[in-house]
Amino acid sequence: MTPRFQAPRGTRDLLPGDLGRWQWAEAQARGVLERYGYGEIRTPLFEDFELFARTSGESSDVVQKEMYRFKDLGDRDLALRPEFTAGVMRAYLERGLGGRTRIHRLWSAGPVFRYGRPQKGRYRQFSQINCELVGSPAPGADVEMITLFVDLYEAWGFRDLTVVLNSVGQPASRRAYGERLRAWLAPAHERLSADSQQRLVVNPLRVLDTKDPGDLALFHELGDVPRMLDAIDEADRAHWEAVLAGLDAVGIRYEVDHGLVRGLDYYTRTAFEVHDRSLGAQSALGGGGRYDGLIAELGGPPTPGVGFAIGLDRAMLVLEERGTAAPVPPAGIYLAAMEATHAAALALARELRRQLVVELDVEARGFGAQMKAAGKSGARLLVILGEEEWKRGEVVVKDLASGTQETLARPGLAEVLGARLAQAPPPTGGGAKGTEKP
Ligand code: AMP
């Protein structure tokens, strides 16, 4: 039967079985971020549309085609966030963070929304981890960001990542570079895709972002793509070289990619990404860069910043495809009761659950059904509240991994069970049987 309602196109349900890996990854990331001294910031899922339009740049796909824009009942022009940076910078200004200390290290995680064409690794709701280092123009800030970026992937077991880097200069050098690109493409202008022709008018750099095979073949045919790095000024070049030297010192592997231009308009100087080719067309795992003009663009005092966003969905896809095992949840207890001890079992379960993983039959079914459920539950220990034993202040505990059985006293039960669960299971089938039968 086809269900009447389906998840909206481009969205997914993550079920308990999927989420083990996600939660583990999020916990690892949180650890890395805390050790780097980043503080978490949570901003609204939606903001004024205008905020995103200003920060992403009118020419970006995000603004042109991908925004979930809506009017609320008060006729406000709003949009679901298509990325984090705009909202974080809005909060930075609105809450006066800049007046407290000069440098802020901030991170966020959660869903973002873009109305793209869904495919493998591309969804309309997806999750990002986002980091910002606001307040420092120094190349050391870029180096810290890129190092943190790589260390997050490493904490998830990624190895030998190569970061691709470029400098996108400053607005002035970008304009000059844009002219060079236009001149370079002029002889083939008519053969460019409609999208690229339009980009050439609004923001020529973004032509290099094209995925159109015809455009790419044309670039190849024209040869000698003008390089942004040849167009940047002396100060930008010094910054660029200092970033590379810093990365060398830290031991981060990188490659210069002259075609790397980030999709959003307010990047300055350093731009970086990391890719995993196993993902196919949607290979970007994450990316970021410096955005020294952004805060001023929002009406704040000129304040430099650098940041990145990591796409969690794609990182999780790679881990899954590589067979990186999801972490095993902690072993637990199945609490089985007789009719006469069911009420006591409910109270005992509540008590044990303050420390331990406990399952019990909420339907108070017969003992046989409970034994079957215990077998399926994945619990390590079966704790049986037999009527006679319970009256004596005891329970029978069976290790389902080894089959060994013992009788334990009610007082201090949680501690003893906790200790049993912490021990490695004894070899299957072996070991002395307990003296009491259930
Ligand atoms: P961006 O801000 O576009 O560089 O996005 C940062 C990261 O988010 C990308 O490198 C991807 O890993 C991820 N990402 C971007 N768009 C999507 C999408 N539609 N679905 C899933 N992940 C995405």
Side-chain angles (χ1 to χ4, degrees):
M1 191 186 80
T2 314
R4 179 146 162 223
F5 295 107
Q6 283 155 15
R9 184 163 146 77
T11 69
R12 302 183 296 161
D13 302 305
L14 296 171
L15 302 180
D18 308 318
L19 281 170
R21 195 179 282 106
W22 281 75
Q23 282 156 348
W24 167 81
E26 284 159 4
Q28 295 294 106
R30 186 177 281 273
V32 174
L33 290 158
E34 279 170 3
R35 293 192 292 277
Y36 267 78
Y38 282 65
E40 186 179 358
I41 174 166
R42 299 188 187 186
T43 59
L45 282 178
F46 58 87
E47 301 267 0
D48 283 341
F49 168 80
E50 192 54 30
L51 173 72
F52 299 120
R54 283 212 147 217
T55 50
S56 300
E58 296 286 353
S59 72
S60 75
D61 282 350
V62 167
V63 173
Q64 291 287 326
K65 306 183 215 152
E66 296 184 349
M67 200 95 75
Y68 273 92
R69 183 180 187 179
F70 62 98
K71 286 267 168 80
D72 75 0
L73 295 177
D75 213 30
R76 292 177 193 88
D77 189 10
L78 301 168
L80 297 182
R81 65 182 176 211
E83 55 104 31
F84 276 95
T85 306
V88 172
M89 293 311 137
R90 194 264 313 132
Y92 173 90
L93 286 172
E94 188 178 344
R95 306 297 297 272
L97 297 188
R100 296 190 199 168
T101 51
R102 190 168 60 86
I103 295 184
H104 287 265
R105 293 178 164 86
L106 301 167
W107 72 274
S108 307
V112 284
F113 306 85
R114 292 183 195 172
Y115 188 79
R117 192 171 52 80
Q119 55 178 287
K120 180 182 170 190
R122 194 205 270 158
Y123 312 102
R124 289 180 174 173
Q125 175 178 331
F126 57 100
S127 289
Q128 287 186 339
I129 293 181
N130 184 80
C131 294
E132 316 286 357
L133 198 167
V134 192
S136 174
D142 308 45
V143 174
E144 175 171 300
M145 263 292 140
I146 297 172
T147 310
L148 167 59
F149 183 66
V150 171
D151 278 351
L152 285 167
Y153 291 107
E154 293 211 345
W156 297 331
F158 285 78
R159 292 290 175 265
D160 303 325
L161 281 179
T162 302
V163 179
V164 290
L165 286 179
N166 197 12
S167 173
V168 295
Q170 305 283 350
S173 50
R174 244 193 333 265
R175 270 193 299 279
Y177 174 66
E179 288 313 315
R180 284 169 70 174
L181 269 183
R182 280 200 192 104
W184 176 67
L185 286 167
H189 188 268
E190 296 311 311
R191 287 153 65 203
L192 279 173
S193 66
D195 232 14
S196 286
Q197 288 189 10
Q198 205 216 340
R199 284 175 174 182
L200 213 48
V201 178
V202 196
N203 182 357
L205 253 76
R206 303 236 28 254
V207 171
L208 295 178
D209 235 4
T210 183
K211 306 276 182 302
D212 184 283
D215 287 350
L216 295 173
L218 208 59
F219 295 174
H220 192 70
E221 185 188 314
L222 290 170
D224 273 339
V225 190
R227 296 171 166 192
M228 186 71 217
L229 278 179
D230 297 330
I232 64 178
D233 66 19
E234 231 170 90
D236 286 352
R237 175 154 296 281
H239 184 92
W240 166 253
E241 278 164 9
V243 171
L244 298 192
L247 295 177
D248 287 333
V250 188
I252 301 283
R253 290 201 334 192
Y254 59 83
E255 274 170 16
V256 178
D257 177 352
H258 297 285
L260 176 67
V261 288
R262 304 272 304 139
L264 311 179
D265 282 359
Y266 286 99
Y267 283 105
T268 50
R269 298 188 162 172
T270 318
F272 57 93
E273 281 183 355
V274 35
H275 291 256
D276 187 299
R277 300 292 165 206
S278 74
L279 283 168
Q282 301 302 317
S283 68
L285 285 176
R290 185 165 268 292
Y291 47 79
D292 292 345
L294 177 63
I295 292 177
E297 184 60 35
L298 293 179
T303 310
V306 53
F308 64 74
I310 287 178
L312 267 172
D313 303 72
R314 292 187 194 168
M316 293 308 106
L317 265 179
V318 173
L319 291 184
E320 202 181 320
E321 281 172 10
R322 285 188 191 161
T324 310
V328 185
I333 291 166
Y334 193 96
L335 203 56
M338 311 297 157
E339 210 179 321
T341 56
H342 183 71
L346 290 174
L348 180 63
R350 183 178 184 213
E351 182 191 323
L352 295 179
R353 280 171 169 160
R354 297 201 176 107
Q355 300 170 50
L356 305 169
V357 178
V358 177
E359 192 178 326
L360 92 165
D361 182 15
V362 289
E363 297 181 319
R365 290 173 301 172
F367 194 69
Q370 291 184 61
M371 289 303 99
K372 240 191 202 164
K376 281 193 195 154
S377 71
R380 159 92 184 276
L381 299 178
L382 171 65
V383 175
I384 300 166
L385 272 69
E387 202 175 333
E388 290 309 310
E389 290 87 354
W390 189 249
K391 272 190 199 145
R392 287 201 300 272
E394 292 172 337
V395 295
V396 173
V397 178
K398 186 171 177 184
D399 188 319
L400 293 173
S402 64
T404 54
Q405 195 167 295
E406 63 187 327
T407 300
L408 294 176
R410 173 76 184 75
L413 185 60
E415 284 66 34
V416 181
L417 291 174
R420 295 286 183 279
L421 288 171
Q423 284 166 4
T428 318
K433 293 272 179 216
T435 46
E436 302 259 349
K437 293 268 179 267

